[in-house]
């Protein structure tokens, strides 16, 4: 286990198409987070899971976005009917939910370009 | 609403100068606070967390509940400190500020 991995690393899609990204967290981590990051901005929180339960979803998140973590391990983020404004880096992170250890480990991200 | 604010987009200092990166937070209750760093072409990684009260790479951060601040400080900046620095708060979720780019000039 070499850390959080995301697939694909890059995705180019036409406007209106659906895309799905995958995140594999560190195996013993029970929390998983999704973020969107655009140039010059900090990571914008999208949603997070505790095991398989989606505990919070950003109010900024359009209904076109959906995330799952069906078995409490890997997670997918789907964007339906993509728009040019969806172009961004999508980051995944995972952590233990422990008082002594709440460090979030990040993947390298999936860069989405909508043309 | 939960919010983390970093007022400076860019901070430029000379090597050996002191550095202070500002962070203010707005939460109901007491969040856990962090500083994350992103070096060029690397992943975001944890620098320090307020609970551990440790010094990492010469950086420290003091939580001031009265001013709702968690500023990051280093007495003598090094060129290798040049990076993007993000303050973050957590009450279950993990919310980031917009980041401050630190540039340390030789």
């Amino acid at each position: 286990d070499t850390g959080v991995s995301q697939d694909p690393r890059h995705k180019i899609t036409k406007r209106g198409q659906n895309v799905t990204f995958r995140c594999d967290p560190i195996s013993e981590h029970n929390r998983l987070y999704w973020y969107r990051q655009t140039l010059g901005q900090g990571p914008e929180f999208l949603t997070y899971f505790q095991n398989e339960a989606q505990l919070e979803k950003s109010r900024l998140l359009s209904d076109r976005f959906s995330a799952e973590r069906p078995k409490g391990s890997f997670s997918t983020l789907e964007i339906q009917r993509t728009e040019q404004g969806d172009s961004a880096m999508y980051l995944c992170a995972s952590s233990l939910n422990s008082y002594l250890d709440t460090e979030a480990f990040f993947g390298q991200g999936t860069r989405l370009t909508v043309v | 609403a939960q919010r983390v604010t970093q007022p400076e987009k860019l901070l430029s200092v000379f090597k050996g100068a002191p550095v202070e990166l500002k962070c203010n937070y707005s939460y109901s209750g007491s969040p856990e606070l962090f500083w994350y760093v992103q070096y060029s072409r690397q992943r975001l990684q944890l620098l320090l967390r307020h609970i551990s009260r440790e010094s990492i790479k010469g950086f420290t951060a003091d939580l001031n509940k009265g001013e709702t601040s968690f500023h990051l400080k280093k007495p003598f900046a090094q060129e290798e400190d040049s990076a993007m620095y993000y303050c973050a708060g957590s009450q279950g979720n993990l919310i980031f500020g917009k980041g401050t780019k630190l540039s340390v000039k030789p």
Side-chain angles (χ1 to χ4, degrees):
Chain A
D1 191 343
T2 56
V4 179
S5 63
Q6 293 187 244
D7 183 70
R9 293 287 307 278
H10 303 273
K11 178 71 177 178
I12 300 174
T13 190
K14 290 185 178 178
R15 187 161 46 104
Q17 297 294 305
N18 299 345
V19 294
T20 300
F21 309 142
R22 177 180 170 122
C23 172
D24 285 273
I26 293 171
S27 57
E28 64 269 24
H29 284 184
N30 46 32
R31 285 208 171 163
L32 187 147
Y33 309 84
W34 283 101
Y35 296 88
R36 176 171 58 195
Q37 187 173 28
T38 53
L39 197 63
Q41 300 294 316
E44 177 192 2
F45 172 77
L46 296 179
T47 189
Y48 88 101
F49 293 83
Q50 174 77 27
N51 299 311
E52 65 274 10
Q54 187 173 19
L55 294 189
E56 186 175 341
K57 189 174 173 180
S58 169
R59 286 173 293 169
L60 302 174
L61 202 60
S62 157
D63 289 344
R64 298 183 296 105
F65 287 69
S66 62
E68 293 183 340
R69 195 182 183 198
K71 297 181 181 177
S73 57
F74 74 92
S75 176
T76 58
L77 177 69
E78 181 183 19
I79 309 174
Q80 296 183 324
R81 305 180 302 281
T82 52
E83 301 172 357
Q84 287 188 319
D86 297 331
S87 295
M89 178 74 85
Y90 289 84
L91 297 172
C92 175
S94 70
S95 71
L96 284 171
N97 181 21
S98 160
Y99 177 76
L100 294 178
D101 188 354
T102 55
E103 178 178 355
F105 291 82
F106 280 80
Q108 290 189 295
T110 294
R111 182 169 295 284
L112 173 66
T113 303
V114 181
V115 297
Chain B
Q2 299 166 341
R3 190 181 306 125
V4 175
T5 303
Q6 294 179 251
E8 303 141 329
K9 291 196 74 171
L10 173 66
L11 186 62
S12 185
V13 301
F14 286 103
K15 177 182 171 181
V19 168
E20 182 179 49
L21 291 89
K22 292 184 167 49
C23 172
N24 289 89
Y25 63 93
S26 175
Y27 277 78
S28 56
S30 298
E32 187 173 1
L33 293 161
F34 307 83
W35 278 97
Y36 280 79
V37 60
Q38 188 167 28
Y39 301 102
S40 180
R41 287 189 281 275
Q42 292 189 25
R43 306 180 186 203
L44 264 167
Q45 57 188 280
L46 179 68
L47 182 62
L48 53 80
R49 34 190 304 237
H50 88 271
I51 285 178
S52 57
R53 303 177 67 82
E54 57 194 342
S55 172
I56 303 292
K57 299 184 179 182
F59 285 97
T60 58
D62 291 322
L63 176 62
N64 185 322
K65 291 186 178 181
E67 296 183 357
T68 60
S69 68
F70 188 56
H71 303 329
L72 183 69
K73 299 178 184 180
K74 184 169 183 177
F76 308 104
Q78 303 299 313
E79 289 181 68
E80 55 266 29
D81 296 329
S82 295
M84 283 295 300
Y85 290 80
Y86 296 97
C87 184
S90 178
Q91 283 182 326
N93 58 16
L94 182 60
I95 305 296
F96 286 81
K98 292 185 185 298
T100 297
K101 182 175 182 178
L102 176 63
S103 174
V104 182
K105 297 177 286 188

